[in-house]
Amino acid sequence: VQLQASGGGLVQAGDSLRLSCVASGRNVKNYGVGWFRQAPGKERESVAAINWNGGSTSYAGSVKGRFTISRDNAKNTVYLQMNSLKPEDTAVYRCAADSTVRRFPPIRYDYWGQGTLVTVSS
């Protein structure tokens, strides 16, 4: 299983960005997926997660109401729509998959994508 994250960039506070995580490999449609971020000098933080069919989601308190996680299993893609971005959202964002079929919330992430950098200027 491989995960490819993209969509990061430099934006101003208040702007929006949509990150994409394209998954390839057997059975990925049945995996829960999460988005994580890590800012310089800080620990990695869980941002959002979604179950295998998009019916269940969870969010960190810091992004609830601003970020939306969704998925399109026909495209093997999970999205993170980020609105009302703040400078404190600046981080490298990564997606990850829990390979235990149809488990939610994810407990252990077995596959990780590379990061995509989001920079929010004030």
Side-chain angles (χ1 to χ4, degrees), residues 20-104:
S20 299
C21 174
V22 179
S24 60
R26 189 165 175 262
N27 227 13
V28 293
K29 290 179 173 56
N30 288 305
Y31 296 170
V33 173
W35 281 99
F36 294 80
R37 67 185 181 186
Q38 188 165 18
K42 294 188 177 181
E43 293 189 353
R44 186 175 65 202
E45 175 188 17
S46 174
V47 175
I50 190 167
N51 78 326
W52 69 279
N53 66 355
S56 296
T57 58
S58 63
Y59 297 93
S62 58
V63 307
K64 195 172 292 186
R66 300 187 298 122
F67 291 12
T68 302
I69 189 170
S70 62
R71 68 190 298 161
D72 183 344
N73 279 347
K75 297 181 178 179
N76 285 351
T77 302
V78 174
Y79 303 100
L80 185 68
Q81 177 67 43
M82 306 186 295
N83 298 331
S84 303
L85 282 162
K86 304 175 181 180
E88 50 263 44
D89 295 318
T90 295
V92 173
Y93 285 72
R94 300 176 70 188
C95 56
D98 178 349
S99 66
T100 298
V101 171
R102 302 190 178 184
R103 175 169 66 185
F104 191 82

